[in-house]
């Protein structure tokens, strides 16, 4: 079961912390709760199997390391296996302690964004340049705007009649009642 997949325009986005919480608490039964901060082999292996079986058409896979501070030593090979499936990897929210296990010091990409803590907000695990619109869309705000705006467009209702209780006339409105009724799984 993969709980954190968000499909973007040309990328797949996974929260490694969310996946590790599932692995630690439900699969391995370690009962560490949401406080787990170490990424384990089983989690990345589960993601690799899922990605391999799913045959996605997206070109990029984004792994968000938010709340991950340590890596199990043998994870490098799993990320290489995912890359060898034909995807370009992008790492988000890296802390300095996980650079060496991922061999990040050998990748040079001018778009890699260092943060004030000495980590990376965004690290492109390939040497090519990448489109600037992709860079903007893989932020949390970009993901939200893409997913939510595309979803809510289906609930815009054209309305050309005058309303008796208002002097403001709109050509359309968003049917929130219908949106909430139909998209209940999004809201839970």
């Amino acid at each position: 079961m993969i709980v954190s997949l968000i499909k973007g325009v040309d990328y797949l986005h996974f929260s490694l912390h969310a996946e590790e919480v599932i692995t630690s608490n439900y699969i391995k039964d370690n009962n560490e709760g949401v406080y787990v901060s170490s990424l384990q082999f089983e989690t990345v292996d589960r993601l690799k199997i899922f990605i391999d079986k799913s045959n996605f058409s997206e070109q990029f896979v984004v792994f968000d390391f938010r709340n991950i501070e340590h890596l199990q030593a043998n994870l490098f090979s799993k990320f290489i296996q995912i890359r060898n499936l034909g995807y370009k990897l992008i790492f988000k929210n890296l802390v300095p302690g996980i650079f060496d296990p991922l061999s990040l010091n050998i990748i040079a990409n001018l778009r890699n964004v260092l943060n004030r803590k000495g980590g990376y907000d965004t690290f492109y695990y390939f040497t090519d340049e990448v489109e600037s619109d992709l860079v903007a869309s893989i932020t949390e705000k970009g993901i939200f705007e893409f997913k939510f705006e595309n979803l809510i467009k289906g609930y815009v209702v054209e309305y050309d009649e005058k309303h008796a209780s208002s002097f403001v006339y709109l050509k359309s409105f968003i049917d929130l009642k219908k949106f909430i009724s139909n998209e209940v799984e999004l809201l839970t």
Side-chain angles (χ1 to χ4, degrees):
M1 173 174 73
I2 303 299
V3 297
S4 69
L5 171 64
I6 299 174
K7 290 180 73 172
V9 176
D10 195 25
Y11 64 88
L12 307 169
H13 185 279
F14 295 95
S15 168
L16 293 176
H17 182 257
E19 297 302 335
E20 184 59 41
V21 167
I22 294 297
T23 301
S24 295
N25 292 294
Y26 298 105
I27 297 172
K28 290 178 64 177
D29 204 22
N30 291 348
N31 297 323
E32 293 181 54
V34 297
Y35 301 107
V36 63
S37 63
S38 182
L39 184 61
Q40 303 299 316
F41 179 85
E42 292 84 0
T43 301
V44 180
D45 187 47
R46 215 167 34 87
L47 288 169
K48 187 256 177 205
I49 291 168
F50 173 76
I51 292 168
D52 192 20
K53 285 183 178 179
S54 298
N55 273 338
F56 291 110
S57 63
E58 286 76 11
Q59 181 180 4
F60 299 93
V61 176
V62 179
F63 290 110
D64 190 342
F65 283 80
R66 177 169 283 138
N67 298 319
I68 299 292
E69 297 173 8
H70 310 283
L71 299 179
Q72 194 170 345
N74 56 355
L75 289 181
F76 178 71
S77 63
K78 279 295 162 192
F79 285 111
I80 295 300
Q81 288 175 12
I82 294 170
R83 187 187 70 184
N84 290 341
L85 293 173
Y87 298 99
K88 291 185 178 183
L89 305 183
I90 301 172
F91 298 148
K92 302 274 296 169
N93 302 309
L94 293 168
V95 296
I98 58 180
F99 294 167
D100 290 337
L102 292 175
S103 300
L104 298 182
N105 53 352
I106 62 171
I107 304 290
N109 188 316
L110 296 175
R111 293 195 186 251
N112 291 343
V113 181
L114 258 160
N115 62 29
R116 286 182 270 171
K117 298 176 184 175
Y120 284 94
D121 290 332
T122 305
F123 190 94
Y124 299 95
Y125 202 65
F126 50 89
T127 55
D128 306 315
E129 290 300 316
V130 72
E131 312 295 319
S132 60
D133 58 343
L134 177 66
V135 174
S137 70
I138 61 172
T139 64
E140 286 82 2
K141 184 178 181 202
I143 293 169
F144 172 79
E145 287 173 352
F146 171 76
K147 194 76 170 174
F148 185 71
E149 285 178 3
N150 283 334
L151 192 61
I152 207 159
K153 283 178 186 176
Y155 297 96
V156 174
V157 177
E158 298 297 324
Y159 190 79
D160 288 329
E161 299 175 23
K162 292 183 178 181
H163 197 279
S165 66
S166 175
F167 296 107
V168 178
Y169 302 110
L170 301 174
K171 291 188 176 208
S172 63
F173 66 92
I174 298 171
D175 189 345
L176 290 177
K177 183 177 178 182
K178 190 174 187 181
F179 173 78
I180 291 169
S181 297
N182 293 342
E183 305 298 334
V184 69
E185 70 276 354
L186 177 73
L187 304 172
T188 57

